[in-house]
Amino acid sequence: MLKEPHVGAPRSRVDGRAKVTGEAKYAAEFPAPGLAHGHVVSGAIARGRITGIDTTAACAVPGVLEVFTHENRPRTAWFDYKHRDEVAPPGSPFRPLYDETILYSGQPVALVVAEDSGTARHAASLVRVEYEAGAHETDLLRAREDAYVPPKRRSGISPPPKPRGDAVAALAEAPLRVEAEYRIATEHHNPMEMHATTVVWEGGGKLTVHDKIQGVLNSQGYICNVFGLSKEDVRVVSPFVGGAFGSGLRPQYQLFLAVMAALALKRSVRVVLTRDQMFTFSHRPETINQVALGAAADGMLRAIRHDAIGATSRFEDHQEVVVNWSGLLYHCDNVELGYKLAQLDIHTPADMRAPGAPLGVFALESAMDELADKAGIDPLELRLKNYAETDENEGKPYTSKELRAAYRLGAERFGWSRRSAAPRSMREGRELVGWGLASGVWEAQMQQTSARAVLTADGRLEVATATADIGTGTYTILAQIAADAFGLPMESVTVRIGDSSLPKSPIEGGSWTAASAGSAVQAACHAVRETLFRHARGAEGSPLGNADLDHVAFVDGRIVLAADPDRGIGLIEAMRAGGAERIEHEQTASPDKANQKRYSSYTHSAIFAEVRVDEELGVLRVTCIVTAVAAGKILNPKTARSQVIGGVVWGMGMALEEETLADHRLGRFMNHNLAEYHVPVNADVHDIDVIFVEEQDSRTSPIGVKGLGEIGIVGTAAAIANAIHHATGKRIRDLPITLDKLLERPPAERAR
Amino acid sequence: MNRFTYARPADLAGALREIARDPGARFIAGGTNLVDLMKYDVERPTRLVDVTRLPGLDAIEETAAGGLRIGALVSNTAIAYDARIGRRYPLLASAVLAGASPQLRNAASTGGNLLQRTRCYYFYDAATPCNKREPGSGCPAIGGVNRIHAILGTSEHCIATHPSDMCVALAALEAVVQVAGPGGERAIPFAEFHRLPGDHPERDTTLCQDEIITAVELPPEGFAEHHTYLKLRDRLSYAFALVSVAAALELDGGRIARARIALGGVAHKPWRMPEAEAALAGQPAEAASFALAADRLLAGAQGHGHNDFKIDLARRAILRALSQAAAGTPQSQTDKRIR
């Protein structure tokens, strides 16, 4: 009798139509009267100083309003902390046009503002910059010698846990040992939408800012701190974000430049970066992992050592969780993990989808595969043998962990039991066939978030919170949760997000948005329900007279007795009875501190990959991926599946294609366009099968959600690399595994 | 991107007048490469002469000699799906489909494909030196990031490659480029159209600035029975060739009567070596003969570090392509499994 709830059902995106028709507006698309356009001039050297900027020719172009450089830029806040955004790592944040110092190649050195974008771009090409170059270093393989433990930890990033047992001794005594180095190349985010900001000069000192950002409050706070403005005067509105993957967590330099220019010129200004400029800020840091595993002859782990060195800039200590996963995924009494940074003359790296995890897990899960090979044990059996029932890093039980079921369901779907153990033993036609697997893991978190719900007498519901939807489906799942709270169709719900005037939300990241914003929206809806219910009960002749909220259901726009759904009262009728035109409540949902202390919460996955390799030519195809994901409650299997597929495809890119190539003599990334920076295309992608494993979790968030944003990518590269080893006998430990690496090594080479 | 003026002449004579008037002028048709280069400040034309409305250049017609004449404005897509080309010159159709994406092929013209410029990272980045972009400034690809660069026919000034797939097939088919200029029309054999970098890497072709390509003519022999276009790249579609091979054979029983082999992705122009092809004549169509041809084609090949693998890869690709061609099983451009 009661209708199927929206939550848990495969619903199409509520914003889908707006997106495909162009109705959805992105940061560079908002109009403003008298809009001026800024174009960024990018620097050419990696380190040194600007000795002269000649802007004469640029300024002489009709239509040019101003050329901003470090010599004439308006003053901004003096202290470093004023330039630190919500998620800034320790250090001294990059300040665009601050002084003559060059910190990395591609650094913005001037902003040309003109009446139209063509003029700005033309004039920007006429700016002449002279430099005095200093000695630079962009090669991590050289800089690793000077790696250091970051003296100040980055907020929210757990440092490696303290060693447990004696990994060095246990490793020395272990009958089976795998020791190897695994490297992952620099990668750039490259969302489809270029970073852009439109600042609307509202007059009276007020600004409305449309920024490509994963957290409008982060941009608002940054602007206010840097330019000494009050929050009442700065509203940041970013309803849609065309992908970001972490590049939009921190305010990027185009925001600073657009606001600076708008304040100086007292008019609206837009700055849009070009694709090549998308390679001049955030990126996933190049990372070197050294892993040593020791095991008994039966494959039981005796020792795990994992040390990683990640690249960072000279001015900030960007940190990620790279090695901790190695103390977490398997039961082992002797574990020692270390994480260091090495400074290069580059921009500070940034979080990129599952920051740290796919890097460290690639190393660990490759090493586990090498161990399986040495021990002569099936890689799946080895993982089950060493299964960790608790979080041994923290000595805590899990809120839930259905990884074992994920292994089983994934293996069944994939047909893992038909795998022949020996490398190079499966072949079809010319192609060698390989099957590999890996585990994936990511933190499940909830963050304190506020939301508002407003029910109006026309039967419409609006829910609002300042979070973002970067294409993940936030609009849709919030509409589902809100609609279910009142038994309304989803069309009756309006979701508003991406506006700094809305109730507070943290940045959209860390896979926590569904759990956090979802819980907040539910809490706000429940508060509205209580008020509404009071009105309903008080209505004349109300059939709900003696019921309490637990005994009623909200169905089809009515409040009915759960035991007798024919008896009830319409929502609108109830509101009228109470004389209420609108019922509005704001609520804040917070994680349960006691649970957080007592339990660890993670999502898990088991990824199975099939590759086919034409060995003679080094041509490789990933013909099948099965990923079984245990991530608590799945709010919307349709958008969830898309999200996981996106992560898997990116994992394929990480495994096989993505690499920002640096010329270390010039200290500059060279393949800064999408023709030469490769991400997977349709031809690269075959079957991807996503399984959601049943997992009950009541402790991570009030709505049972653990989050899905990152888990799809973690482990995927390792599963593919392991499949390549199974196919060819070649163990390739440097990502991406490009064609030349497949050609390179003799098949006989075994693990070091 | 700089400011430029724009003209859209109504006929060929008008186009030639426009281009002669201004040494900074460039023709534009599909713009799939030129506009990118303008955005990167690599090309800074003062005037764009739009040739897309010129009459008579957008047809594929029979020639008196028994071949086909492809007008300079025929789109890459039109070539790929033309029934006559599919039947008589399937190697050409295959090479076209191996390149770019459907959207780009819809816009890209035949003449423009011949004139597309290298994908060298340094050429594209105006903040770095590049002899091709700025003669005399140096070649940082030598000793720099060069995994996509040339292994044959390079000079100390430039190790860039020509990026076209279509041109590799046209080289193998010995097409002829028809051009018009102020002095009238002339025909350029395909092998002489693109040039090696030598001391003037800024010049990609032997076309003069005031000339325009009007057509590409295919000779009657299309090697429709035994051919293949094998392209190896960093992903399975929409990437430039690391190495590609256009192979065309005429077989006489089990022996090779005639062979054409052109390589892409390895030099400043589609790489052919008539001696290597001649040496195949009369040989059995088998691996040993193919290996000999590969040795000859790659004689003198030299890597520059990151691209060392191309020498070995090119050798393997030549062997596979010749065996595909001999077997009459050309590489499919939709099924990405290598045959």
Side-chain angles (χ1 to χ4, degrees):
Chain A
M1 187 65 193
L2 294 185
K3 271 200 175 162
E4 188 204 358
H6 299 295
V7 166
R11 294 287 184 257
S12 295
R13 285 165 198 273
V14 296
D15 51 341
R17 189 182 183 283
K19 282 186 171 173
V20 299
T21 55
E23 191 188 313
K25 276 202 172 52
Y26 294 84
E29 298 179 324
F30 286 88
L35 183 67
H37 298 258
H39 195 82
V40 177
V41 179
S42 304
I45 66 163
R47 190 175 185 175
R49 57 186 203 92
I50 300 166
T51 53
I53 297 193
D54 183 355
T55 60
T56 325
C59 290
V61 175
V64 169
L65 297 164
E66 183 64 274
V67 180
F68 295 95
T69 70
H70 67 278
E71 290 169 350
N72 69 348
R73 67 159 173 87
R75 293 175 71 98
T76 56
W78 176 257
F79 293 107
D80 253 358
Y81 77 89
K82 290 278 194 185
H83 293 256
R84 290 175 53 82
D85 65 276
E86 264 181 46
V87 288
S92 176
F94 175 66
R95 302 185 188 191
L97 310 187
Y98 181 61
D99 61 15
E100 72 281 8
T101 313
I102 295 288
L103 295 165
Y104 69 97
S105 192
Q107 172 179 329
V109 294
L111 180 78
V112 179
V113 184
E115 294 287 353
D116 63 88
S117 63
T119 301
R121 196 164 183 160
H122 168 62
S125 74
L126 302 177
V127 174
R128 291 290 164 262
V129 187
E130 281 175 28
Y131 306 95
E132 183 184 289
H136 66 262
E137 184 58 86
T138 52
D139 189 349
L140 184 61
L141 295 180
R142 287 199 294 256
R144 68 189 292 182
E145 305 305 328
D146 303 320
Y148 57 94
V149 175
K152 194 169 172 200
R153 56 170 282 227
R154 178 181 166 202
S155 166
I157 301 298
S158 310
K162 290 204 173 64
R164 56 180 187 260
D166 186 343
V168 176
L171 187 66
E173 289 161 15
L176 294 176
R177 272 199 299 273
V178 172
E179 290 180 70
E181 182 167 300
Y182 304 86
R183 297 207 300 260
I184 300 94
T186 308
E187 300 171 359
H188 277 78
H189 296 74
N190 277 312
M192 282 302 287
E193 180 199 16
M194 254 67 84
H195 274 255
T197 304
T198 303
V199 179
V200 183
W201 181 259
E202 304 281 14
K206 288 190 186 295
L207 303 179
T208 301
V209 180
H210 304 289
D211 187 31
K212 179 189 176 78
I213 191 77
Q214 290 171 254
V216 282
L217 296 171
N218 198 15
S219 291
Q220 185 197 35
Y222 172 81
I223 294 166
C224 291
N225 287 334
V226 169
F227 296 99
L229 302 173
S230 107
K231 289 197 175 176
E232 288 69 51
D233 292 337
V234 179
R235 181 175 169 206
V236 180
V237 183
S238 301
F240 294 99
V241 181
F245 318 116
S247 67
L249 292 171
R250 302 185 66 183
Q252 301 296 357
Y253 63 74
Q254 92 287 343
L255 173 66
F256 174 100
L257 295 173
V259 174
M260 174 200 74
L263 292 173
L265 300 171
K266 298 195 181 340
R267 63 187 281 185
S268 301
V269 174
R270 172 181 299 156
V271 177
V272 185
L273 299 187
T274 59
R275 180 57 67 185
D276 53 327
Q277 287 168 342
M278 293 295 289
F279 289 78
T280 60
F281 49 100
S282 299
H283 57 275
R284 197 192 287 281
E286 183 179 3
T287 301
I288 303 169
N289 294 275
Q290 286 182 311
V291 177
L293 303 179
D298 64 356
M300 292 300 290
L301 284 166
R302 295 268 178 80
I304 300 173
R305 295 191 67 188
H306 184 171
D307 291 284
I309 299 173
T312 193
S313 67
R314 299 265 181 226
F315 45 94
E316 286 174 314
D317 278 349
H318 172 76
Q319 296 156 59
E320 306 186 338
V321 178
V322 177
V323 297
N324 304 12
W325 322 101
S326 293
L328 198 70
L329 262 173
Y330 300 108
H331 165 64
C332 185
D333 293 330
N334 302 291
V335 177
E336 194 178 326
L337 309 173
Y339 176 62
K340 290 182 177 175
L341 299 176
Q343 289 187 352
L344 299 174
D345 294 295
I346 55 174
H347 190 275
T348 308
D351 292 333
M352 184 193 281
R353 204 168 197 169
L359 311 175
V361 170
F362 164 66
L364 174 69
E365 288 296 274
S366 296
M368 284 296 282
D369 204 63
E370 300 196 41
L371 179 62
D373 205 33
K374 270 201 171 162
I377 298 174
D378 179 86
L380 178 56
E381 195 193 326
L382 181 74
R383 283 165 174 86
L384 291 169
K385 233 179 196 187
N386 289 287
Y387 195 82
E389 301 290 352
T390 59
D391 172 355
E392 296 179 19
N393 280 350
E394 301 269 336
K396 292 179 185 176
Y398 287 110
T399 56
S400 59
K401 180 180 175 182
E402 295 294 345
L403 176 58
R404 206 189 296 276
Y407 285 134
R408 181 173 53 76
L409 292 169
E412 277 172 19
R413 183 77 59 90
F414 187 82
W416 183 259
S417 62
R418 295 193 306 275
R419 179 180 186 262
S420 84
R424 306 180 61 79
S425 63
M426 291 165 62
R427 183 182 282 277
E428 201 177 303
R430 272 186 198 278
E431 291 176 316
L432 290 163
V433 179
W435 288 1
L437 77 86
S439 322
V441 56
W442 181 252
E443 297 171 275
Q445 299 176 70
M446 181 193 166
Q447 303 279 346
Q448 182 173 308
T449 302
S450 303
R452 183 172 63 222
V454 184
L455 184 67
T456 43
D458 58 359
R460 288 204 62 84
L461 176 68
E462 181 187 281
V463 292
T465 173
T467 190
D469 186 338
I470 58 171
T472 48
T474 307
Y475 276 106
T476 309
I477 56 124
L478 295 184
Q480 288 174 275
I481 291 168
D484 275 355
F486 295 94
L488 289 170
M490 284 170 66
E491 298 75 50
S492 300
V493 181
T494 303
V495 178
R496 289 184 57 208
I497 59 176
D499 183 335
S500 61
S501 68
L502 300 177
K504 275 191 178 173
S505 167
I507 51 163
E508 193 272 10
S511 290
W512 61 55
T513 299
S516 311
S519 296
V521 162
Q522 187 175 70
C525 287
H526 284 178
V528 171
R529 269 197 345 188
E530 278 184 33
T531 305
L532 177 67
F533 182 63
R534 275 201 308 276
H535 294 317
R537 228 170 31 173
E540 206 179 305
S542 171
L544 310 177
N546 297 318
D548 60 34
L549 201 49
D550 295 338
H551 295 128
V552 300
F554 289 72
V555 185
D556 286 341
R558 289 169 63 78
I559 313 171
V560 298
L561 289 170
D564 184 2
D566 287 341
R567 296 182 60 202
I569 175 170
L571 300 187
I572 296 169
E573 198 185 335
M575 287 185 74
R576 287 210 185 106
E581 276 304 304
R582 56 189 275 136
I583 306 174
E584 174 175 338
H585 282 283
E586 184 171 323
Q587 290 285 307
T588 299
S590 306
D592 182 326
K593 288 266 161 33
N595 273 338
Q596 280 186 326
K597 261 203 186 111
R598 212 173 307 142
Y599 297 96
S600 278
S601 189
Y602 289 87
T603 54
H604 294 89
S605 67
I607 307 116
F608 298 80
E610 176 183 272
V611 301
R612 288 164 188 255
V613 185
D614 186 313
E615 191 177 29
E616 209 174 275
L617 300 176
V619 175
L620 183 147
R621 299 184 301 139
V622 179
T623 42
C624 175
I625 298 249
V626 173
T627 182
V629 176
K633 182 190 274 186
I634 303 304
L635 295 169
N636 183 338
K638 189 172 180 179
T639 53
R641 182 172 174 276
S642 292
Q643 215 174 354
V644 173
I645 286 176
V648 168
V649 170
W650 201 342
M652 293 171 58
M654 168 179 254
L656 305 175
E657 294 165 5
E658 289 200 48
E659 178 173 23
T660 319
L661 298 162
D663 181 318
H664 296 309
R665 296 177 313 176
L666 298 174
R668 186 171 173 89
F669 292 126
M670 291 312 307
N671 53 335
H672 41 70
N673 59 64
L674 289 180
E676 296 304 335
Y677 181 94
H678 296 133
V679 299
V681 294
N682 283 330
D684 294 314
V685 181
H686 292 250
D687 294 339
I688 299 175
D689 204 339
V690 181
I691 300 167
F692 290 113
V693 178
E694 186 73 29
E695 188 175 68
Q696 302 293 334
D697 192 306
S698 58
R699 298 190 174 102
T700 304
S701 69
I703 55 173
V705 167
K706 288 170 83 178
L708 275 175
E710 342 265 339
I711 190 68
I713 191 174
V714 187
T716 303
I720 291 168
N722 293 341
I724 290 170
H725 176 261
H726 183 236
T728 64
K730 291 173 190 171
R731 179 66 66 186
I732 300 170
R733 303 185 183 90
D734 297 342
L735 299 184
I737 302 172
T738 43
L739 176 157
D740 44 317
K741 293 178 188 170
L742 281 169
L743 289 176
E744 219 167 57
R745 306 174 192 202
E749 195 203 3
R750 310 293 285 182
R752 274 177 264 171
Chain B
M1 189 187 264
N2 61 304
R3 281 182 166 172
F4 53 87
T5 57
Y6 172 85
R8 201 175 72 199
D11 56 27
L12 194 62
L16 290 170
R17 270 198 307 276
E18 286 288 351
I19 208 81
R21 195 177 295 163
D22 181 352
R26 293 276 185 284
F27 290 123
I28 185 165
T32 56
N33 191 209
L34 180 61
V35 174
D36 275 355
L37 291 165
M38 289 167 66
K39 286 180 181 173
Y40 284 105
D41 283 320
V42 175
E43 296 269 12
R44 296 175 64 80
T46 49
R47 186 168 180 76
L48 288 185
V49 181
D50 183 347
V51 296
T52 53
R53 311 293 171 94
L54 299 187
L57 299 183
D58 61 350
I60 301 175
E61 300 158 323
E62 299 287 342
T63 63
L68 286 179
R69 180 182 191 276
I70 304 169
L73 289 176
V74 172
S75 74
N76 289 187
T77 299
I79 292 182
Y81 297 110
D82 183 88
R84 293 159 293 177
I85 287 176
R87 197 169 59 247
R88 287 154 59 184
Y89 306 95
L91 171 61
L92 176 60
S94 181
V96 170
L97 287 175
S101 67
Q103 295 91 330
L104 286 166
R105 292 193 296 263
N106 287 343
S109 67
T110 300
N113 192 308
L114 266 59
L115 295 174
Q116 65 183 300
R117 310 209 65 189
T118 184
R119 305 305 301 196
C120 171
Y121 316 114
Y122 301 92
F123 176 69
Y124 260 79
D125 186 340
T128 67
C130 169
N131 286 327
K132 184 181 277 297
R133 181 169 26 80
E134 216 179 306
S137 62
C139 176
I142 299 173
V145 183
N146 56 37
R147 80 183 291 276
I148 61 172
H149 286 73
I151 52 171
L152 287 161
T154 58
S155 77
E156 59 182 311
H157 305 297
C158 182
I159 60 169
T161 60
H162 182 67
S164 168
D165 291 299
M166 185 175 93
C167 289
V168 183
L170 291 174
L173 293 169
E174 293 193 344
V176 176
V177 185
Q178 302 289 344
V179 309
E185 296 188 0
R186 65 178 179 126
I188 309 174
F190 210 82
E192 291 165 25
F193 184 78
H194 296 100
R195 54 186 300 285
L196 292 177
D199 293 337
H200 288 285
E202 73 279 10
R203 279 159 49 193
D204 293 350
T205 69
T206 53
L207 191 72
C208 299
Q209 193 269 339
D210 55 3
E211 288 180 311
I212 187 169
I213 299 171
T214 53
V216 172
E217 277 189 20
L218 298 171
E221 177 55 77
F223 298 91
E225 297 294 314
H226 294 282
H227 67 90
T228 196
Y229 188 72
L230 178 61
K231 179 178 181 181
L232 304 174
R233 47 188 148 180
D234 272 328
R235 61 184 165 195
L236 294 174
S237 180
Y238 196 47
F240 292 93
L242 291 167
V243 169
S244 70
V245 185
L249 297 174
E250 191 187 310
L251 296 186
D252 181 5
R255 290 192 178 268
I256 299 165
R258 222 151 39 114
R260 301 266 181 82
I261 312 167
L263 305 181
V266 296
H268 201 256
K269 60 187 286 190
W271 190 258
R272 273 186 70 197
M273 195 166 278
E275 311 88 270
E277 294 168 4
L280 273 176
Q283 301 298 314
E286 61 188 34
S289 319
F290 303 156
L292 226 59
D295 288 343
R296 285 199 163 96
L297 265 158
L298 296 169
Q302 198 194 341
H304 298 271
H306 299 153
N307 70 347
D308 290 349
F309 73 95
K310 278 193 178 183
I311 302 173
D312 186 30
L313 183 65
R315 192 186 151 77
R316 294 167 187 232
I318 294 165
L319 298 188
R320 182 69 65 86
L322 285 170
S323 75
Q324 287 179 345
T329 53
Q331 178 60 42
S332 160
Q333 301 303 344
T334 48
D335 177 3
K336 303 298 177 181
R337 187 159 33 101
I338 306 290
R339 290 187 179 164

